[in-house]
Amino acid sequence: MAQNDDLTRRDVMKLAGAAGITAAAVTTAATVAGPGFVKAHAQSNQIRYGLIGTGSRGTYLLSRLAKIDNGHCAALCDLDANSLDKAASVIGTNPKKYNDYRELLADKNVDAAIVAVPLYEHFPVTRDALQAGKHVFCEKSLVFKPEEVHALRGLAPQHGKQVLQVGLQRRYSHYFQATRQMVEKGILGDVTHIHAMWHRNPGWVMRPGGKSNPRNWRLFREFSGGLTAELASHQVDVADWMFGAQPEFVMGLGGLDTWKNDGRDIFDNIQLIFQYPGGRKMTFSAISTNSHCPFLGASRPEFGICIMGTAGAVEINIGDGQKTLPTALWYREPRPTSISPATEKTITEAGATFALAGPRKGLPIRMPQYEVDKDNDSFITRELKYARLWLYQKGVMIPEEDVNPVDTELQSFFHDSMTGGHPKADMEVGLADSTAVILANVAMDENRRVYFNEIQNLGKDKVNDALKEEAKHTA
Ligand SMILES: NC(=O)c1ccc[n+]([C@@H]2O[C@H](COP(=O)([O-])OP(=O)(O)OC[C@H]3O[C@@H](n4cnc5c(N)ncnc54)[C@H](O)[C@@H]3O)[C@@H](O)[C@H]2O)c1
């Protein structure tokens, strides 16, 4: 594995031939498949995929993939034979089993690779999959190290006909998309703040064997970006999407305060503030001592996001992907009728002991599928829809999305791979997200404000060293 983890000389030469690291930082991905590729797959209505990494996430993805018909599982790969056997029984297509991912990538029956290995291996596996001509779906966070941000961007132009999608499933949720439309249409006014949290109790527990047990990779900085990479990555991506921008800088405080005796070296609680252009801010909190999340009437523990504008707020939750699906509530902000100079009376009322706003009721966000279609719905369907709408309006039930966004992201990946479509969670989305993760960790480690343009120089030494090394070989 070691030789794969670092940038190879081959990567560096390709990177050097690309637009240049600094310039590349502001370019967009060239991942739209061209007509040549579309033709190659026109006869088939299924993409044949190989899934690499059949651990917890890989097996969950297979349980969803088993119900998706525009993809066919041709191969699986894992270092652990037991996990491979279990995963094969979950998908049930009698896939070819590999324990070396390069052999899977050489398999001509595989059109696309789904990458669900630990974070520190995302880049080498994704790079090799692209170079083997496969479409790639890589789990978040897309890359681990700063130099990998530059290297992947440098590789992209040579693989413009392949799809590269990142496992940021919120981008595929209809509720999150509806919220983004509310932001675009100004329904929430000027969106100034986003508050996100991911609270757990007891958080990640060390399995026996400590660092020598590969399943503990998340708990060690050598392999993991900690809570920032595993949890905050999803929600920072939502903030980038809602604000339509990347942060200018990040500040943060991380602590290893509860799980300090089991040998882990990542933080077990983190608090981050990202500043976006115009003074807009996103805050993120992850703790390991309490699973309370106050959004949506505390009905969904652990994680959630609140998007706050001058005219309203949306509380939104993706669901756990098993028992619960995405849901959201919209709170309208009563606008002040006029802003007049303060008087003695208003100054008193603005004191800390008075709440100036009355209680609010969250409104369900109605999706098109809840609306009654008088011409096409059967009598029973119409009655059911009226009953549900009544319950939603009374606040007795909160509507949920009717599909799991993980299913949507996977179907969409196969569809884009077949038709030359462009993924919503594309390489640039993934690299922006990875950059936020990397820089937030630097901010906590160095206890300082870290500016996002610092990424342009971070990791450059590694690339420069490798270039010098390459020059020695070619001299
Ligand atoms: N999108 C999401 O909501 C979400 C949720 C959970 C996990 N994830 C991501 O999925 C990835 C995997 O996480 P996990 O919880 O499944 O970890 P895990 O440890 O349970 O599984 C990783 C698997 O990869 C295998 N593996 C490691 N190196 C390999 C290699 N070189 N070749 C083949 N197999 C290899 C391991 O044997 C293991 O079975 C992580 O990047 C994680 O962040 C995403």
Side-chain angles (χ1 to χ4, degrees), residues 203-472:
W204 297 330
V205 175
M206 181 79 73
R207 293 182 168 92
K211 201 170 181 180
S212 59
N213 179 346
R215 281 284 150 94
N216 287 326
W217 64 268
R218 268 189 185 78
L219 301 171
F220 297 96
R221 286 162 177 246
E222 190 180 338
F223 314 116
S224 164
L227 296 167
T228 323
E230 295 304 305
L231 307 182
S233 58
H234 280 300
Q235 298 183 332
V236 178
D237 175 52
V238 172
D240 283 6
W241 184 23
M242 297 296 157
F243 285 142
Q246 272 185 266
E248 289 173 342
F249 64 82
V250 55
M251 302 159 72
L253 191 59
L256 177 48
D257 302 303
T258 300
W259 291 102
K260 49 190 169 203
N261 296 322
D262 66 5
R264 73 183 66 191
D265 61 12
I266 57 143
F267 298 130
D268 61 25
N269 64 96
I270 62 174
Q271 308 294 319
L272 300 169
I273 305 174
F274 295 88
Q275 163 126 337
Y276 286 77
R280 295 172 295 169
K281 291 169 192 73
M282 186 255 189
T283 65
F284 175 83
S285 164
I287 64 175
S288 305
T289 44
N290 189 308
S291 60
H292 180 67
C293 177
F295 306 143
L296 298 157
S299 61
R300 297 277 183 101
E302 295 201 349
F303 49 85
I305 309 182
C306 183
I307 295 152
M308 305 185 75
T310 49
V314 169
E315 293 174 347
I316 188 159
N317 178 291
I318 186 84
D320 63 9
Q322 308 264 28
K323 293 194 194 103
T324 56
L325 291 170
T327 189
L329 283 177
W330 167 31
Y331 296 81
R332 279 205 294 232
E333 180 71 4
R335 276 189 176 276
T337 45
S338 70
I339 299 172
S340 46
T343 62
E344 273 313 307
K345 186 165 177 282
T346 54
I347 289 169
T348 313
E349 281 175 351
T353 48
F354 290 93
L356 290 182
R360 313 270 163 84
K361 202 172 150 212
L363 302 169
I365 296 170
R366 280 159 60 163
M367 307 297 279
Q369 60 268 34
Y370 308 140
E371 304 302 330
V372 174
D373 178 347
K374 288 197 176 122
D375 297 329
N376 297 310
D377 283 346
S378 68
F379 173 75
I380 300 277
T381 307
R382 273 200 318 261
E383 288 304 298
L384 272 173
K385 281 186 173 176
Y386 281 129
R388 277 170 64 178
L389 280 173
W390 186 78
L391 291 169
Y392 298 156
Q393 274 152 13
K394 294 279 163 209
V396 177
M397 266 173 75
I398 305 178
E400 270 193 351
E401 191 159 328
D402 50 5
V403 277
N404 184 338
V406 170
D407 297 358
T408 314
E409 71 172 352
L410 294 166
Q411 273 165 342
S412 182
F413 171 62
F414 296 137
H415 178 80
D416 288 343
S417 300
M418 237 174 306
T419 62
H422 188 85
K424 291 182 168 70
D426 67 8
M427 184 195 72
E428 282 302 331
V429 163
L431 291 182
D433 187 51
S434 295
T435 299
V437 167
I438 290 165
L439 297 182
N441 281 340
V442 174
M444 290 188 287
D445 288 342
E446 298 183 6
N447 202 13
R448 68 180 176 95
R449 184 183 279 198
V450 175
Y451 285 86
F452 270 58
N453 59 11
E454 293 184 34
I455 194 70
Q456 288 168 13
N457 294 323
L458 275 177
K460 238 183 174 174
D461 304 353
K462 293 262 165 87
V463 177
N464 287 341
D465 288 352
L467 275 172
K468 278 186 213 146
E469 191 63 20
E470 179 68 28
K472 266 194 243 157

Side-chain angles (χ1 to χ4, degrees), residues 60-95:
Y60 171 75
L61 291 178
L62 289 168
S63 73
R64 307 309 311 177
L65 286 159
K67 298 173 195 129
I68 290 174
D69 59 11
N70 61 346
H72 171 81
C73 183
L76 294 175
C77 172
D78 202 285
L79 304 172
D80 175 345
N82 290 333
S83 152
L84 206 46
D85 289 343
K86 192 175 143 229
S89 69
V90 170
I91 194 67
T93 54
N94 195 23

